[in-house]
């Protein structure tokens, strides 16, 4: 039995779950999410929890068991608390600013890079060198954060660029002086 798949999903107060054939819809205080799930998985809802069961012990069903449970648990978590990713900007003159709902990044290019916030995603800039991406959909938050990081990845010599909070960037040694012995 899958360790992740067999755990029940607790439903907090104020969260409504509607299960139809191949689709799960979750409503909560922060919004509404909907997800297509494999029709083979049996999703049972009681008053305070949801349990996902698999029909057989085949490898495909075993793989989908934990995935289905994780997708539903992430939707419940998202409409209850939401998700956020923090990014740090490092480099001389590198900074971020909000322009309405859009994020403007000055990260060493000849022009500022502007990223519009998609539906359901909000940006925060508590300090010029920090960006917070927030939303209720875990996948969308992670995808937008990855796109922001991709604009200027941390480079391995000085560490300049955009990185996730607490991300370790392995530094390389620079060019050695000519004629120096190691």
């Amino acid at each position: 039995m899958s360790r992740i798949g067999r755990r029940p999903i607790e439903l907090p107060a104020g969260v409504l779950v509607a299960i139809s054939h191949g689709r799960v819809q979750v409503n909560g205080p922060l919004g509404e999410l909907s997800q297509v799930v494999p029709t083979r998985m049996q999703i049972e809802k009681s008053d305070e929890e949801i349990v996902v069961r698999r029909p057989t012990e085949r490898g495909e069903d075993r793989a989908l068991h934990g995935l289905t449970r994780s997708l539903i648990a992430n939707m419940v978590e998202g409409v209850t608390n939401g998700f956020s990713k923090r990014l740090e900007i490092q480099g001389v003159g590198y900074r971020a600013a909000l322009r309405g709902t859009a994020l403007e990044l000055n990260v060493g290019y000849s022009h500022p890079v502007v990223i519009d916030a998609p539906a359901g995603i909000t940006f925060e800039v508590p300090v010029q060198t920090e960006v917070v991406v927030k939303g209720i959909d875990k996948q969308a938050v992670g995808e937008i954060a990855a796109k922001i990081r991709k604009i200027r990845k941390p480079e391995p010599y000085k560490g300049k660029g955009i990185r996730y909070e607490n991300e370790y960037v392995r530094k390389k040694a620079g060019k050695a002086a000519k004629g120096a012995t190691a």
Side-chain angles (χ1 to χ4, degrees):
M1 191 74 165
S2 167
R3 284 187 217 162
I4 293 173
R6 72 174 164 216
R7 290 178 33 208
I9 303 164
E10 301 293 325
L11 292 178
V15 175
L16 302 171
V17 178
I19 302 168
S20 61
H21 189 68
R23 180 169 287 288
V24 175
Q25 191 167 3
V26 181
N27 290 327
L30 297 181
E32 176 182 324
L33 289 173
S34 180
Q35 177 75 43
V36 175
V37 293
T39 55
R40 298 174 54 80
M41 295 297 118
Q42 300 155 2
I43 303 168
E44 300 164 4
K45 179 184 167 237
S46 68
D47 293 339
E48 294 134 14
E49 65 182 23
I50 295 175
V51 178
V52 179
R53 301 194 195 289
R54 62 178 176 235
T56 67
E57 291 296 318
R58 287 184 26 221
E60 182 182 341
D61 288 341
R62 290 169 48 163
L64 290 175
H65 187 208
L67 171 72
T68 305
R69 190 250 178 226
S70 292
L71 289 173
I72 297 170
N74 286 340
M75 287 193 297
V76 171
E77 176 73 19
V79 299
T80 307
N81 303 325
F83 293 100
S84 68
K85 285 255 188 198
R86 297 180 90 77
L87 298 156
E88 297 172 348
I89 301 172
Q90 292 188 354
V92 177
Y94 288 14
R95 62 184 168 274
L98 279 178
R99 299 285 178 252
T101 59
L103 179 69
E104 183 180 285
L105 298 169
N106 290 311
V107 285
Y109 295 117
S110 62
H111 58 284
V113 179
V114 178
I115 301 168
D116 293 320
I121 300 291
T122 57
F123 297 125
E124 290 180 9
V125 183
V127 203
Q128 285 185 339
T129 58
E130 207 173 279
V131 176
V132 182
V133 181
K134 288 187 173 186
I136 62 172
D137 187 357
K138 186 175 187 177
Q139 182 179 347
V141 168
E143 189 175 330
I144 295 300
K147 284 183 181 177
I148 293 171
R149 182 182 180 274
K150 190 177 179 182
I151 291 169
R152 181 66 88 175
K153 290 182 186 172
E155 56 96 20
Y157 296 101
K158 292 183 181 175
K160 292 168 41 171
I162 303 172
R163 63 178 77 183
Y164 296 114
E165 185 180 49
N166 298 326
E167 177 184 358
Y168 175 73
V169 177
R170 199 171 83 192
K171 299 245 178 107
K172 291 182 178 179
K175 194 161 58 168
K178 192 167 182 115
T181 57

